[in-house]
Structures are given as C-alpha cells and as structure tokens.
Amino acid sequence: LRKPNSRYALLARRQTPDVWKQIKDLKAAFQEKADKGGTGNVLAGVFQEPSSKRLYPNGDLAAGMLGWVNAEGKGGGGIEAQLDEELAGKDGKITYAQSGGRRVPTAGGNENPATPGSDIELTIDRDIQYVAQKAIAEQVRKSKADRGYVVVQDTKTGELLTLANAPGFDPGDLTHADPNTLGNAALHDAYEPGSTTKLVSMAAVLEENAATPDTHVTVPNRLHRGDRLFKDDIDHPTWYLTLSGVLAKSSNIGTILATQQLGKTQPEANRSLYSYLRKFGIGRPTGIGFPGETAGILAKPDAWSTSQQYTVPFGQGFSLNAVQATSVYATVANGGVRVEPTLVRGSKGPDGRFSPSPEPKKSRVVSEKTAATLSQMLQAVVDDDEGTGTKAKIDGYRVAGKTGTANRVDPETGRYKGYTSSFAGFAPADKPRIAVYCAIQNPTKGNYFGGRICAPIYKKVMEFALKTLQVAPSGSKAPGLPVTFEPED
C-alpha cells in the first residue's frame, strides 16, 4: 500500500465466507472502539471482492476435453482456455467516495455493470463418454500401459460424441493430479498409427483404378525393398490374397505391393499416396482449434527416406492424433466426404438466444463408389474368420473395422520401444451412423495386438452408442468378399 500511487492491494484470494465473517466481526469491534474515541479502525480499508469457483459435479468425466480454471479464475486448459473469453464475460466497474471505510451516499458515483458470459453447448454425449472412459481406463490398468484414448464421431455431422482419455484427472482438485495426465492426449499425442491407416492406402489404390477388391496379390514371407527386408507381423508361407484379403489379414507386404501400383515409378507412387493422406486430414490441424492440438508429422514425399517410401503405406514413418485417425473412418463411412470434426454445437448468450456454430467444412476425398467398396473390405476384417478384427463383431449389426499394432517411438529416447495398439471402424456398415477409434500406448502386460485389446473396447463402446442413439440393426448380412485365391499350377 505504501507504493507510489497505490490505493489497492490484494491481501488474499478466494477465501471462504467464514473467513470474511471473522474479518467483519473484527472491523465492527475496531469501529466501535474508534467511535468511543479510540484509535482509528485499522481494518476500515479491507473489503471483500466476490469471486467464483468452478465446480465439476461429474469429477473426472471428460476432464481432458473440458480443461480447468486456474486460481485467477481463468481457463487453464481445454475448452475452458479455448473459450475463456466467451464463458467469462466482462467485469463491471464501480467508483464512489468513501469516508472512514463507509460509502458517502450523497457524493455520487459511477457504475458500469458486468456483462454475463455465454453458455457453451458441446457435442459430447455424456453417457457414451462415461462408458468409453471407463472401458479405456480399465484396459490401460490391465495392460499397464502409459495411456489410452477413445474417440466417437458422428459420421454425418462430424460432431465428436466422445473424447475419452485414461488416465485422467479431477479438474476440481488439481493438487492431486499427475501433471502428465493434464490435457487431452487424444489431440495432444502425435504417434505412428500403424495398420489402421492402411485404409488410406487402399482408398488411393481403388480411387486411382490401380486394383480392385478381387485383384490377386501374392505375398511372400519377406520382401526386399530399398535397404530393408520387410515382413508381416507373423512368419507365414506364401499367402495368396485378394486385395480385400490384404486388408483383412493386415499384410504389410501386400500393402507395399498394392501401393506400388499408384505410379510408374516409386517417387510417382509416393506423391499419389501423399496427396490422399493430406486429403484425409493427416498432417494438418483438425479444425477444432483445441489448445495444444498437434497436427502430426507428415513429410513431403520428396523428403521420404528409402525406408519411409515403403513404411508409410502401412502406417509407419509419419504421425497423427487420435481425432485425425477417427476422421479417416468417418470420411469413408460418409460416402467419401470428409466433414471437419466439431466439438462445440453452439452458444447461448445472456439474452437466452442460442447461436449455432458455423457449419463445418466439407470436402470430397474419394468417390461414393470407392467408399462403398472400402466399407465392404473393412467388413471382411471383422466378419471373415481370416480377419484380424473378429473380436469387434456385434450381434445384429454389420461392422466395418481395422486393427493396428504399430512400433512406438519412445518420447524420452526418440527410439522405437513398445507398441501402439489400436482399432478403428464404423457401424452399421450398411448405413453408417458413428465411427469409433481406440488406441492404447505402450501396453506392457499381456497381449499387445490391437485386435486383442482394442477391438473389445471398440465393441463395448460401439454397442452402447448404437443402443443409446437408437440405431436400427442391419437389414442384411455382410457381403463376404473373398480373402484368398487358389494359385494356378
């Protein structure tokens, strides 16, 4: 208070009503003494300032997406930080004359009233969010993994119905939160996705008329390309697969052979594949504008190393976030049209009027025919006994999906260590409504294959979401595309 031109100092912030009651009692006692001729009221200049405290009645539910409010009452992360200005409104201001700590009513004054903030309506479905968050948390604990996430997206509108992360935190009690769990890993983590993005490779091959689902692909046990010897996740005799079978059995070698048909030369094929990765939204922001969101890493094709030319087709050598990975499947489910993901449905101002968010951007990525063919191929992954995603089957519904098990880059050492397990898909495949994506980082106990630990989570979340949204069962069986072929003698 003794600083030059200083008439205001903050003594304590966000105190309880009990503390202020004690101060008022003291002020009254000092004032009583002052009125009887004693010394002045030493607390006469101490006043209360009303403050607010953000309550989160659902605890850690969707905490990574909602964020939190810091000690100064400002958004410290997530939507709270992104939309802090709209949520907070503007403070008011009042000036008046006082004497002895009391306002002088005849001296006049000036008051500018505060402007209330807006209410923000999100696209998140609380029930689906709860089920997804519980399922991923249980599997992360069981697998002793670093973390995991589940994303659910409406394939028609682009709305995100779920952004679940594990482990999480309670935004109302940050003192006990692990700093590593703050934020939204589904948008903050950049990682190599693995085989779930083979869907992009297949989309490019079909759209460019380089092959059909029935095209024969002879897959050896090893394939020498560039300076490396490539293999599949298991040793096997020569496989005789259709292009659909390459996807169903998740063959790295088969995918390399298929994408080589995208150009007369390897550099030409690289440029073609790169263009589809970009159109599917990889290597650029999702459009949500979430604080700390990563755009991933996708080098231009001319900069791909010798090995990258052959690993990118099966999901290694570039990185993305979980929402980007989900958007790929939502795009195929939506007939080949990508709808930019959205998290905010709109806002309600102080006047009570609801203002919807702007329409999300839409762009055609592949033709409707290609999207329909990809849907049939993805159904073979789940429906065919040769597929890697049989644990994602849902009674009464046709399910399209794809497994992924990628080598994982350890963020501490920058070297490959452990795995990223994942599963992505949509349902009902004959009339898609929602896309679901699940990923688990660095499972260290038990099985680490995406088809084993992520497909069951996908099934649990998808099954609940279909019931919650009252989606009718499929009216027909999966097409049953051939996975293998008999070689000629």
Side-chain angles (χ1 to χ4, degrees), residues 12 14-26:
R14 306 184 80 163
Q15 297 300 300
T16 65
D18 285 342
V19 172
W20 177 243
K21 186 176 182 299
Q22 293 177 51
I23 294 172
K24 282 203 304 180
D25 290 344
L26 278 172

Side-chain angles (χ1 to χ4, degrees), residues 378-384 387 389-393 399-402 423:
L378 287 170
Q379 290 175 70
V381 176
V382 177
D383 194 63
D384 196 289
T390 55
K391 287 188 175 294
K393 288 181 180 179
V399 175
K402 181 71 190 77
F423 192 95

Side-chain angles (χ1 to χ4, degrees), residues 264-329:
K264 293 180 180 179
T265 63
Q266 189 61 48
E268 188 177 320
N270 295 343
R271 287 191 289 271
S272 179
L273 180 58
Y274 172 84
S275 71
Y276 281 93
L277 289 164
R278 289 285 295 179
K279 284 190 285 187
F280 270 103
I282 296 173
R284 54 193 176 96
T286 61
I288 296 173
F290 196 85
E293 175 191 334
T294 177
I297 303 171
L298 177 63
K300 292 187 176 180
D302 294 342
W304 289 0
S305 67
T306 303
S307 61
Q308 269 181 301
Q309 298 180 79
Y310 306 105
T311 61
V312 168
F314 60 80
Q316 301 268 184
F318 68 94
S319 64
L320 45 60
N321 65 46
V323 172
Q324 290 171 325
T326 311
S327 181
V328 170
Y329 283 78

Side-chain angles (χ1 to χ4, degrees), residues 126 207 369 421 447:
R126 183 167 55 183
E207 188 73 4
K369 179 183 176 182
S421 309
N447 202 299

Side-chain angles (χ1 to χ4, degrees), residues 117-160:
S118 297
D119 291 337
I120 304 298
E121 183 177 327
L122 302 178
T123 61
I124 296 297
D125 184 293
R126 183 167 55 183
D127 295 335
I128 301 175
Q129 174 79 26
Y130 173 79
V131 169
Q133 195 165 309
K134 184 179 178 182
I136 193 66
E138 288 176 356
Q139 189 60 59
V140 165
R141 285 194 296 269
K142 191 183 298 183
S143 297
K144 291 190 175 180
D146 290 356
R147 63 173 59 92
Y149 8 80
V150 175
V151 181
V152 180
Q153 185 177 9
D154 187 305
T155 59
K156 296 293 183 186
T157 65
E159 291 184 344
L160 294 171

